[in-house]
Amino acid sequence: EVQLVESGGGLVQPGGSLRLSCAASGFTFSIYDMNWVRQAPGKGLEWVSYISSSSSSIYYAGSVKGRFTISRDNAKNSLYLQMNSLRDEDTAVYYCARDNVHTSMARDYWGQGTLVTVSS
Amino acid sequence: DIQLTQSPSFLSASVGDRVTITCRASQGISSSLAWYQQKPGKAPKLLIYAASTLQSGVPSRFSGSGSGTEFTLTISSLQPEDFATYYCQQLNNYPFGPGTKVEIK
């Protein structure tokens, strides 16, 4: 069974840092591109960042570029999001999601999400 | 950047109703569109990809159509478990549409 389990969320002050993790199981993690998607309270979905299977291609939303860093460790079946210089508007549930070539790169599996709250 | 809009943003319907949600792209995107369903407190669920292909395990009452700039998600007979928010997303790019909330009339 495919599973994606996020962790690392919590309360952090503005300007602070947090590192999110996503543990993957039930599939060959190393051959799938991955994403972070977030959802602010009561708002819609916002794509945050993408990383290809080999980490050769990485993209960020403009709202987080220069502050967030996506990475992965295929040996550990894990995806990460390092978040620095956090702002109030970064408060959201953060999901990791898998892109699947067999679904035309639609996101076919999602984790349950981890809540990041940025507040003083 | 390509922008996606959805209409309506809110929809009130009854069990058994036929429901149609529209997603429009600011530029042509061929058939590169997916639809997701999200229930409160849950992660999104992939319903349809490549505009009209039903994801495995998704009930056949869901269907998608369209290409270019206009796409539709149709629920042929709304069921109680279908009350949720629906998002479109352009494939090979990353933005989502703003969502359509389907509530019980």
Side-chain angles (χ1 to χ4, degrees), chain A residues 5-7 19-23 34-38 46-51 59-61 68-72 78-83 93-98 107 110 113-114, chain B residues 94 96:
Chain A
V5 179
E6 301 94 338
S7 61
R19 189 195 196 205
L20 305 184
S21 299
C22 171
M34 298 293 296
N35 299 267
W36 288 99
V37 177
R38 68 184 181 183
E46 180 188 15
W47 168 77
V48 172
S49 185
Y50 159 93
I51 186 167
Y59 303 108
Y60 298 98
F68 290 11
T69 302
I70 191 171
S71 63
R72 64 190 294 162
S78 293
L79 175 72
Y80 306 102
L81 187 68
Q82 177 67 43
M83 304 186 296
V93 173
Y94 285 74
Y95 297 99
C96 61
R98 184 182 88 166
R107 277 137 217 180
W110 298 63
T114 187
Chain B
Y94 311 100
F96 293 86

Side-chain angles (χ1 to χ4, degrees), chain B residues 22-102:
Chain B
T22 299
C23 177
R24 290 185 175 87
S26 58
Q27 300 174 41
I29 58 171
S30 185
S31 297
S32 297
L33 193 92
W35 289 96
Y36 300 85
Q37 175 194 66
Q38 188 182 33
K39 297 180 180 180
K42 300 294 186 182
K45 173 187 174 183
L46 176 64
L47 297 177
I48 286 169
Y49 61 92
S52 60
T53 303
L54 202 64
Q55 170 68 336
S56 176
V58 173
S60 59
R61 63 181 180 271
F62 291 92
S63 64
S65 65
S67 66
T69 60
E70 188 159 327
F71 302 85
T72 59
L73 172 69
T74 300
I75 309 172
S76 60
S77 178
L78 199 64
Q79 298 302 300
E81 59 268 30
D82 301 336
F83 292 96
T85 300
Y86 294 84
Y87 296 91
C88 59
Q89 181 232 334
Q90 185 201 349
L91 302 173
N92 300 314
N93 198 332
Y94 311 100
F96 293 86
T100 296
K101 188 173 185 179
V102 177

